[in-house]
Each structure stands twice: as structure tokens, then as C-alpha cells.
Amino acid sequence: MSTLRVLLAALLCLLPTGCAGSGGPGEFPEGSTMDRIRDRGVLVVGIKFDQPLFGYKDPVSGRITGFDAEMARLVAKDLTGSERNIRFVETVSRERENFIAQQVVDLVIATYSITAARAELVTFTEPYYSAGQDLLVRVDDTRIGGVSDLDGKTVCTARGSTSVERLNSEAPGAKLEIVDAYSVCVPALLAARVDAISTDDTILLGLQAEQDRLRLVGKPFGQEPYGMGIRKGDVVFRDHLNGLIARWLRDGQWDRAYRDTIGVYRATSDQSKPAHR
Ligand code: GLU
């Protein structure tokens, strides 16, 4: 604990609320990432800004909403004592590994699937959410009922995602329109410049929620376990985050985050909640 922290803790005891059980952050190993973030007083999180229900920046209020944002706030609360001590940095799919390696952010919580290739570059927590890849099409388009109908069709998806890789393997006959962010695909789909958008069902559900002219096909064709990504090899931080995730899965915090975000559109969380650990 730094001298400043000790002083601050002592000062807190003089306040009417006292020091015991004040809800402040806990003790962390000296020099750990948790210790550094607590001393800095702010958690820096890489997140999506254009994915309603997961990571979305409200254009009017500027507030970041969604399940990933809720997870981030819980981490900030644990490390700094308040969920308000947080700075969100927009992180598109293809920037996630760079932002972690260059320490632009402390961690990435951005519909980030755990894969062996990515684990060469970053360290992942255990999964905190389980998604699946699906398709979004126009409501009046009856040609596409699943991944096997994509031969000769144009499919929009994002650079640096697992969605591209799975489309290449599962729908080799599809033509891919690869852009920087999934929200860019929506006007293209509405204007029939592409036939479908493909990525995680979570993201597609959020895009569809704003557009009654679009339909989620509802036949997931691959598992996407989401992890929080941190600097490669920071196992002390990873273990701490794993402890938090396991607790939220048990104590109702996970369920509350689900209910307040994606749960508004999808009642059951059975498919999405990783098994209790
Ligand atoms: N979860 C997938 C991935 O990590 C697709 C969604 C995204 O690009 O954020 O690549």
C-alpha cells in the first residue's frame, strides 16, 4: 500500500461514516495491476461504442450502456471503490490485441471471444458470457434460413473478428464485405447492398432491436465464449478477475446485469450464462 493510500485510509476514519466497512477497495498485492489501478483511481476499459445491449455510447447522454459496460463497472467498483471511476475507450474488433499490448487500456471487455490464436498475444479470464454466431437478414428476404444458404450471397462482418474466420470455413461460397464495425453493415443491409450480416447473436440482437425491418435468423452456428483480455502473462490480475467473475455468477450480479441489458430482449439466460465455477 502506498504512503498516500495509508494517509487517505487514515483520513477516511475521521469522516462521520468511519473507516470500517466503508465499501472501499480491498488490499491488493504490492505492485500488482490491481494495486496500480487503485492508486491511479480510475480503470481504463476498451469496449465497443456501437453495439447496443453490450457496449454502446448513447449519442445524447454520452453514457456507455450494455452488458460489457456493466461488467466493467463491477470491476471498477472492486478495484477503486466506485463504479464511476472508469474511463471507456472505444475499441473496435481489430484493435483489441494492440490496445492491450500497448497498454492503451487496462483490460478489454468487448464481445471478445477467447481463442487459442489470441491467447498467444493476450491473457484471457475464464468466460463471463457465452454467445453464438448467427445471421441478420431483411424481414422480407426468405432466401436465407441458415448458414448453408449463403452460397453466392454477400455477407457483411467486421475485420479482426472470429466471425470472418467462421464464415470462411462454414460458408466458403459467400462473398464477404469486411468493415471496421458491425454498425456499418446495417445501412448496407437495409439498402440491399449486402444480403446478411454475420457475427455473434448478442450483437445482431442489439442491431435488430433498433430496426424492425431486420430479422435474426436464430440458428447459431458456433460458440463464442467471451473473456476479458489483459496484458499477456499478467496472471495475478487474471486470477483476481476470475475470482470476481465466479462471484458475480453466484451472487446475482451477473443476473442483474443480464436482466438490465440483453435480458430486455431475450428472457432466458440459460444459453448465455457460463456454468458456475
Ligand atoms: N466475438 C467475436 C470476436 O471476438 C465477434 C464479435 C466481435 O468482433 O466483437 O471476434
Side-chain angles (χ1 to χ4, degrees):
M1 203 184 210
S2 71
T3 327
L4 187 71
R5 292 289 313 170
V6 175
L7 262 170
L8 246 144
L11 275 172
L12 266 176
C13 300
L14 300 173
L15 295 174
T17 43
C19 47
S22 57
E27 283 297 309
F28 301 119
E30 183 93 44
S32 63
T33 302
M34 296 87 82
D35 194 43
R36 215 163 33 76
I37 293 166
R38 188 204 46 204
D39 281 355
R40 191 205 291 147
V42 62
L43 175 74
V44 186
V45 181
I47 196 166
K48 301 293 183 76
F49 275 13
D50 66 338
Q51 293 178 187
L53 309 184
F54 266 74
Y56 181 71
K57 184 172 184 174
D58 186 290
V60 178
S61 67
R63 185 175 164 83
I64 313 295
T65 60
F67 189 86
D68 280 342
E70 290 307 305
M71 294 291 111
R73 289 193 173 99
L74 289 173
V75 177
K77 180 150 197 249
D78 173 79
L79 298 184
T80 72
S82 167
E83 63 165 52
R84 286 195 298 274
N85 295 332
I86 198 162
R87 189 161 67 81
F88 288 110
V89 176
E90 182 173 25
T91 306
V92 295
S93 297
R94 67 178 166 79
E95 291 281 29
R96 292 177 290 203
E97 292 82 23
N98 286 340
F99 278 17
I100 293 168
Q102 292 165 12
Q103 300 192 45
V104 176
V105 296
D106 294 316
L107 77 168
V108 160
I109 310 181
T111 57
Y112 198 14
S113 297
I114 302 165
T115 71
R118 289 171 178 168
E120 298 281 320
L121 305 169
V122 307
T123 287
F124 281 107
T125 62
E126 293 284 325
Y128 65 88
Y129 195 93
S130 183
Q133 186 164 348
D134 208 333
L135 298 166
L136 190 67
V137 296
R138 291 181 295 278
V139 264
D140 55 3
D141 187 347
T142 51
R143 299 169 303 162
I144 302 171
V147 67
S148 55
D149 301 322
L150 294 180
D151 248 14
K153 306 284 190 302
T154 306
V155 184
C156 191
T157 190
R159 194 165 284 116
S161 68
T162 52
S163 317
V164 173
E165 289 164 32
R166 192 172 290 102
L167 283 167
N168 281 332
S169 61
E170 301 283 317
K175 286 181 282 206
L176 301 192
E177 173 77 20
I178 303 177
V179 294
D180 271 342
Y182 302 103
S183 56
V184 174
C185 295
V186 174
L189 180 59
L190 288 169
R193 287 197 301 276
V194 301
D195 300 301
I197 306 174
S198 183
T199 185
D200 303 344
D201 48 5
T202 47
I203 299 170
L204 298 177
L205 195 65
L207 297 176
Q208 183 210 24
E210 299 189 318
Q211 276 295 344
D212 53 5
R213 288 165 59 203
L214 301 179
R215 171 174 65 87
L216 186 64
V217 166
K219 291 214 198 89
F221 54 99
Q223 287 281 312
E224 297 290 332
Y226 293 168
M228 301 181 187
I230 60 170
R231 199 163 46 86
K232 173 84 176 155
D234 193 349
V235 293
V236 174
F237 192 25
R238 179 202 59 197
D239 292 348
H240 184 74
L241 292 169
N242 279 342
L244 293 179
I245 294 168
R247 192 171 83 212
W248 304 331
L249 285 166
R250 277 196 311 268
D251 72 2
Q253 300 263 46
W254 190 100
D255 298 280
R256 182 201 52 78
Y258 185 93
R259 202 177 53 237
D260 291 351
T261 59
I262 186 161
V264 172
Y265 291 92
R266 177 182 279 169
T268 169
S269 60
D270 292 357
Q271 302 295 311
S272 324
K273 190 171 186 176
H276 284 224
R277 279 164 289 124

